[in-house]
């Protein structure tokens, strides 16, 4: 989908507060409600907008530790990779998982309550997934940056008679 300036402006408003009313979004992006609504619906249909959610402070609900786990698998067949990913999806504490290049096959971000909770998760969930050859865990000491995806900027077009 080709995103224009109004689409990007709508995304910026929704990224800031997904609970913004249609009237507020329309007013902030300079469109009337019907074209604004149509653009939002088109971006939803095209998968640009994948859903609406709330950001929760993990510590406020008891998940005070974040662990980055690097995993190497025994095999790299399509079936092994598919099954590993499928089983990771079943572990609620797994927040993100990336198939990566380099020394490890996966980087996995996990939220846990404490080190004892992490040890439980390893025994009861992660290490029960067949095919793990090696893993390395790193506890996050502090989050330095946690932002949503950046929105692209449109190139400005300057022509005759334009002010600079």
């Amino acid at each position: 989908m080709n995103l224009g300036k109004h689409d990007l402006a709508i995304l910026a408003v929704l990224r800031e507060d997904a609970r913004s009313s249609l009237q507020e979004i329309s007013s902030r992006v300079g469109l009337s409600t019907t074209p604004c609504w149509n653009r939002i619906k088109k971006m939803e249909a095209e998968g640009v907008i994948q859903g609406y959610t709330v950001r929760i402070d993990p510590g406020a609900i008891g998940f005070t530790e974040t662990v980055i786990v690097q995993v190497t698998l025994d095999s790299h067949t399509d079936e092994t990779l598919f099954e590993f990913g499928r089983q990771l999806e079943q572990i609620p504490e797994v927040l993100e998982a990336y198939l990566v290049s380099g020394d490890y096959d996966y980087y996995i971000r996990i939220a846990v309550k404490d080190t004892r909770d992490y040890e439980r998760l390893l025994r009861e969930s992660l290490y029960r997934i067949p095919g793990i050859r090696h893993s390395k865990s790193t506890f996050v000491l502090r989050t330095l940056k946690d932002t949503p995806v950046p929105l692209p900027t449109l190139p400005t077009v300057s022509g005759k008679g334009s002010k600079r």
Side-chain angles (χ1 to χ4, degrees):
M1 177 175 177
N2 255 345
L3 298 176
K5 71 177 185 176
H6 288 105
D7 300 313
L8 293 174
I10 290 167
L11 291 174
V13 172
L14 289 172
R15 183 180 65 180
E16 183 181 309
D17 181 3
R19 294 178 53 186
S20 298
S21 69
L22 180 59
Q23 289 74 20
E24 183 181 344
I25 298 167
S26 299
S27 171
R28 289 185 56 190
V29 303
L31 289 173
S32 62
T33 56
T34 301
C36 186
W37 178 252
N38 290 338
R39 286 175 182 269
I40 291 170
K41 285 298 164 195
K42 183 173 182 185
M43 287 189 285
E44 289 172 351
E46 295 284 334
V48 174
I49 297 174
Q50 296 179 338
Y52 300 87
T53 188
V54 61
R55 290 181 57 144
I56 299 169
D57 175 9
I61 58 172
F63 291 97
T64 58
E65 303 294 333
T66 301
V67 185
I68 307 297
V69 183
Q70 298 165 296
V71 173
T72 302
L73 300 179
D74 284 330
S75 168
H76 298 98
T77 65
D78 288 344
E79 298 82 27
T80 300
L81 297 176
F82 175 80
E83 184 60 22
F84 185 76
R86 190 188 69 72
Q87 291 200 35
L88 281 182
E89 288 176 354
Q90 305 305 311
I91 304 171
E93 296 90 346
V94 171
L95 305 175
E96 297 173 299
Y98 301 98
L99 176 62
V100 297
S101 61
D103 294 336
Y104 291 90
D105 298 320
Y106 286 90
Y107 281 7
I108 305 165
R109 187 168 68 94
I110 296 175
V112 292
K113 295 174 182 173
D114 52 31
T115 55
R116 188 163 294 201
D117 188 37
Y118 181 58
E119 188 265 338
R120 176 207 50 83
L121 181 128
L122 287 176
R123 277 186 300 98
E124 295 177 4
S125 300
L126 192 62
Y127 287 165
R128 290 192 179 192
I129 301 174
I132 295 177
R133 179 179 353 138
H134 176 73
S135 71
K136 175 182 167 185
S137 302
T138 305
F139 276 76
V140 173
L141 300 177
R142 183 183 321 151
T143 300
L144 302 177
K145 184 176 181 180
D146 181 14
T147 59
V149 65
L151 295 174
T153 55
L154 293 174
T156 55
V157 178
S158 60
K160 290 183 180 179
S162 67
K163 295 181 181 179
R164 293 185 186 218

